[in-house]
Amino acid sequence: MLDELKEQVYRANLALIENRLVTLTWGNVSGVDRSAGVMVIKPSGIDYRSMSPADMVAVSLDNGEPVDSQSLRPSSDAPTHLALYRAWSQIGGVAHTHSSRATTFAQAGRGIPCFGTTHADHFYGEVPVSRRLNEAEVAEDYELNTGRVIVERMKSLDVESMPAVLVADHGPFTWGPDANAAACNAIALEEVAAMAMGTMQINPSAMPLPRYIMDKHFRRKHGPDAYYGQQCRKDSF
């Protein structure tokens, strides 16, 4: 079972670089097996093109300690991923990138408005941006506090309807039922960020998509009455 999870997480990480969401080693995807109490994540600072499924690092969901004998260190963002898994039992995968357009919105401290149906197909409303971490949060347990700030920002939102957040000054995090879905949402997020940026440049007065259209497009792909499209699968990449 662990080998299967490592394979899935490996392929989801490759999807980030294949879709040009990662420069150098700036990004990671994780997946979780809750029955085993294990999270698998990309190792820290390893080039995507040289890694293999066996290089994926398994850590305890409870304490973040390695659970197998391999020597590679987990991504430095592992505490952020763990904070999200602990807060939201319904998610099974998390992705983090520094993709250029979504990160530009994060650096501007601005959410990504829902201007059209492409956005509404994936994200129910404006993609939110977190508050800026304070000096104390950065100085101690920075990565863990990043996760806490995400959880704080999402407190009033449904994490299944809005599987993404922008961390102010930092970049995007996405999630989903598994690692594949988290990577798919990262890909979609960068595309809708590009569309939103272009829309705002062409028409600075553009208004968000009306609620009734947003409802239609989101609900036809998500929830009990969905009838359009398929879930992101391991063979989607």
Side-chain angles (χ1 to χ4, degrees):
M1 199 67 172
L2 183 58
D3 287 343
E4 291 179 9
L5 183 57
K6 285 189 174 186
E7 176 73 23
Q8 184 188 88
V9 169
Y10 165 72
R11 291 191 177 278
N13 273 283
L14 290 186
L16 298 187
I17 195 164
E18 288 166 358
N19 286 275
R20 300 184 178 182
L21 304 189
V22 169
T23 302
L24 302 176
T25 61
W26 307 344
N28 41 72
V29 182
S30 68
V32 69
D33 181 343
R34 292 189 182 275
S35 63
V38 171
M39 179 185 78
V40 169
I41 193 167
K42 177 185 175 289
S44 179
I46 298 297
D47 184 87
Y48 282 78
R49 293 182 177 86
S50 66
M51 67 186 186
S52 71
D55 294 325
M56 302 300 103
V57 184
V59 301
S60 167
L61 192 55
D62 289 332
N63 58 29
E65 294 297 320
V67 299
D68 57 19
S69 60
Q70 77 125 297
S71 60
L72 295 177
R73 290 183 294 109
S75 166
S76 60
D77 292 311
T80 308
H81 290 238
L82 287 168
L84 303 189
Y85 289 125
R86 292 165 183 163
W88 306 323
S89 61
Q90 64 269 54
I91 71 169
V94 174
H96 171 47
T97 76
H98 292 261
S99 59
S100 60
R101 294 168 182 85
T103 299
T104 298
F105 275 95
Q107 292 180 168
R110 181 165 185 174
I112 304 174
C114 180
F115 286 124
T117 61
T118 307
H119 183 127
D121 281 341
H122 293 275
F123 307 104
Y124 189 59
E126 179 172 300
V127 177
V129 62
S130 78
R131 66 171 173 84
R132 173 177 286 169
L133 275 74
N134 62 40
E135 188 172 357
E137 289 168 329
V138 171
E140 185 173 354
D141 290 330
Y142 172 57
E143 290 80 11
L144 176 58
N145 284 325
T146 298
R148 289 171 173 165
V149 165
I150 293 172
V151 173
E152 172 192 295
R153 179 63 184 87
M154 298 300 297
K155 192 171 183 178
S156 62
L157 299 172
D158 177 6
V159 298
E160 293 180 284
S161 298
M162 179 52 68
V165 71
L166 308 175
V167 177
D169 312 317
H170 189 165
F173 285 80
T174 58
W175 48 84
D178 56 27
N180 298 312
C184 278
N185 285 330
I187 295 165
L189 182 67
E190 180 64 6
E191 287 302 308
V192 301
M195 292 176 189
M197 191 175 294
T199 300
M200 295 162 74
Q201 290 173 338
I202 294 169
N203 180 8
S205 301
M207 298 297 291
L209 190 69
R211 174 71 65 174
Y212 68 92
I213 302 178
M214 184 173 70
D215 286 349
K216 179 65 175 180
H217 271 261
F218 186 82
R219 290 171 182 167
R220 72 179 187 153
K221 292 189 71 173
H222 306 272
D225 298 323
Y227 63 88
Y228 175 83
Q230 306 293 330
Q231 293 296 319
C232 186
R233 304 181 304 273
K234 66 181 179 181
D235 57 355
S236 298
F237 307 128

